[in-house]
Amino acid sequence: MSIRSDVHSQTKKTIFNVYNFLKKISNDRNNPVVATFFKKSQEITAEACGVSVSTVKRITSEGAKSTTAESVAGPSFTSPRKSYKRMKYATDIDDFDADIVRRTVHEFYDKGQFPTSQKVLTAYQQKVNNYKGSRVSMWRILKSLHFKYKKCNDGRRFLMERNDIVAMRVKFLRKMHDLRQNNDTRPVVYLDETWVDQIHSYGTILQNTERLKVPTGKGSRIIICHAGSSAFGFVRGAKLIIRCKSGANIDHTQMNSEIFKKWFIEMMQNLDEPSVIVMDNCRYHSALVQNYPKSNDNKATFQKWLTENGVEFSSFETLSELRERVKLLKSKDKRYELDEIALQMGHEVIRLPPYHYQYNPIELIWAQVKSEIANKSFKSTDLENLANIAIESVTVDNWKCCVDHCERLQNEDFIKEGFRDKILEPIVLTINPEDSSESEDDDDESLQL
């Protein structure tokens, strides 16, 4: 299969002009012999310029769309590489490395020290030997993990994690801890989706502190959705594989809430007993029972929602006033549609805290599945078959090992959260609630207890 080469704007314009010149000759009635010869203008243009006919068609179509009656400068063309975004290796780290960064910050907390982006960078480089990022890169990673600097009354600035994320982490850890302490006999079922590409290059993923090669890059892609438990391995009959359309992005853009809801219900029907289901909060997992207007919806949408929910309002009220009405009516405790369905079917859903994939053992299972595929050379048509074989090779013992690893992390972190609360309380009491900063320049190396 030939790979389409990039054609820059100036080359496109030249090809477009050649095509139009030949097209003009083909319509010359004064010279019918020459006109007949140039009737196949696209084919001759392709041969003359050394490109394919499809490339000529694509360029002429782009030129025609960009040409309007008002345009003076003529057709305009884009250069593919101008919109190319280089991967930022210093800041585009994977979920497991992001967890290492977060834990590094927490280690400073636990020692009663003030973490700074430079200190976190130094500690991170000792754990990840090949990381070459700068202090600014580390600060950007910390911002993406929702850390920010808070100013204390004595002028020092303290790196703090966003409070709602901390609260959700503690809530999750306490729920899982209580299940184990109360000897709850219900199986804990973990679910998630992953993607597998036809191998063009290799990336790495962390599994039980070891790095494994996994397939990444472009090419044929499938999305796999599954669930499993240490009690019985993968849920029987719950595997879902979606073959992506050509050009799908690396995220799961072809998975949506309707597909996932259908799969989720069928998966629960295959469970032999009431279970605890653990899943994350990605968009298509999190449809609400009660939908509210979005902040960018128009005034009519807000008025319709208020009317349907029996809320009286004046026709003179502005959009800003209607937004405030809806905001006051929003429930602070979100009720998810899938959680309600699970409850009706006799199961309980526990939500993972955002950005804490390390608590989900199926992430380690996916690393095992991908490592089974990674060193095999195959055609795109074999991808789904190889994925099926890799999934079938996962045993109940594999699940037990991965679940045990994640449960140890959960137990250790639950204990640490209690100690960390006592360590941070004296510092939190000194923080000025009116001031916070997201500037990397506020990272002061002199911040020490």
Side-chain angles (χ1 to χ4, degrees), residues 337-387:
E337 181 184 16
L338 297 182
D339 296 23
E340 298 289 323
I341 293 173
L343 191 61
Q344 293 169 8
M345 297 178 68
H347 308 291
E348 178 186 0
V349 171
I350 296 179
R351 298 268 172 166
L352 285 158
Y355 318 112
H356 288 70
Y357 307 97
Q358 73 276 13
Y359 295 147
N360 193 348
I362 200 171
E363 297 288 348
L364 302 177
I365 296 295
W366 290 143
Q368 178 180 332
V369 169
K370 290 182 177 182
S371 67
E372 288 288 325
I373 303 172
N375 294 319
K376 294 182 175 64
S377 179
F378 57 90
K379 298 178 181 178
S380 60
T381 53
D382 299 330
L383 182 56
E384 188 172 336
N385 183 45
L386 285 173

Side-chain angles (χ1 to χ4, degrees), residues 57-98:
K57 289 180 179 179
R58 180 164 48 86
I59 292 170
T60 54
S61 176
E62 183 180 351
K65 289 178 181 178
S66 66
T67 304
T68 61
E70 295 80 13
S71 62
V72 179
S76 61
F77 300 93
T78 59
S79 292
R81 287 299 178 188
K82 287 184 179 179
S83 60
Y84 174 73
K85 292 185 179 180
R86 179 177 58 86
M87 183 177 180
K88 300 176 182 178
Y89 292 97
T91 55
D92 292 348
I93 60 176
D94 61 29
D95 298 328
F96 290 91
D97 283 338

Side-chain angles (χ1 to χ4, degrees), residues 167-314:
M168 284 186 280
R169 179 171 65 242
V170 175
K171 181 180 179 181
F172 169 81
L173 293 173
R174 181 176 289 112
K175 280 188 175 181
M176 300 304 292
H177 177 265
D178 291 347
L179 286 177
R180 292 187 282 270
Q181 286 294 107
N182 298 330
N183 295 318
D184 196 313
T185 58
R186 292 177 296 173
V188 180
V189 176
Y190 294 88
L191 65 84
D192 193 29
E193 309 80 40
T194 192
W195 53 267
V196 181
D197 275 335
Q198 183 182 3
I199 300 174
H200 280 188
S201 60
Y202 290 92
T204 58
I205 195 163
L206 189 68
Q207 180 178 358
N208 295 331
T209 72
E210 295 182 2
R211 291 188 174 274
L212 299 172
K213 287 186 176 181
V214 296
T216 63
K218 299 179 180 180
S220 177
R221 171 174 295 144
I222 59 173
I223 296 172
I224 307 172
C225 187
H226 218 325
S229 168
S230 61
F232 45 73
F234 279 119
V235 177
R236 173 181 46 82
K239 178 178 61 183
L240 172 66
I241 295 181
I242 301 174
R243 183 172 289 278
C244 296
K245 297 176 182 177
S246 176
N249 293 325
I250 198 167
D251 58 5
H252 304 166
T253 52
Q254 293 182 261
M255 173 70 80
N256 58 49
S257 57
E258 288 302 315
I259 293 174
F260 184 81
K261 178 182 176 181
K262 181 176 181 294
W263 172 86
F264 184 69
I265 293 172
E266 291 174 352
M267 184 275 295
M268 290 191 294
Q269 291 171 344
N270 290 327
L271 295 174
D272 297 328
E273 56 183 309
S275 304
V276 175
I277 301 171
V278 178
M279 65 179 175
D280 61 31
N281 295 280
C282 81
R283 176 178 48 80
Y284 46 82
H285 293 178
S286 305
L288 298 174
V289 173
Q290 172 68 288
N291 289 316
Y292 297 91
K294 296 180 177 62
S295 59
N296 61 347
D297 282 336
N298 58 28
K299 185 175 181 179
T301 302
F302 279 86
Q303 291 175 328
K304 180 181 178 182
W305 187 91
L306 291 168
T307 301
E308 290 174 348
N309 287 272
V311 181
E312 294 184 0
F313 61 92
S314 169

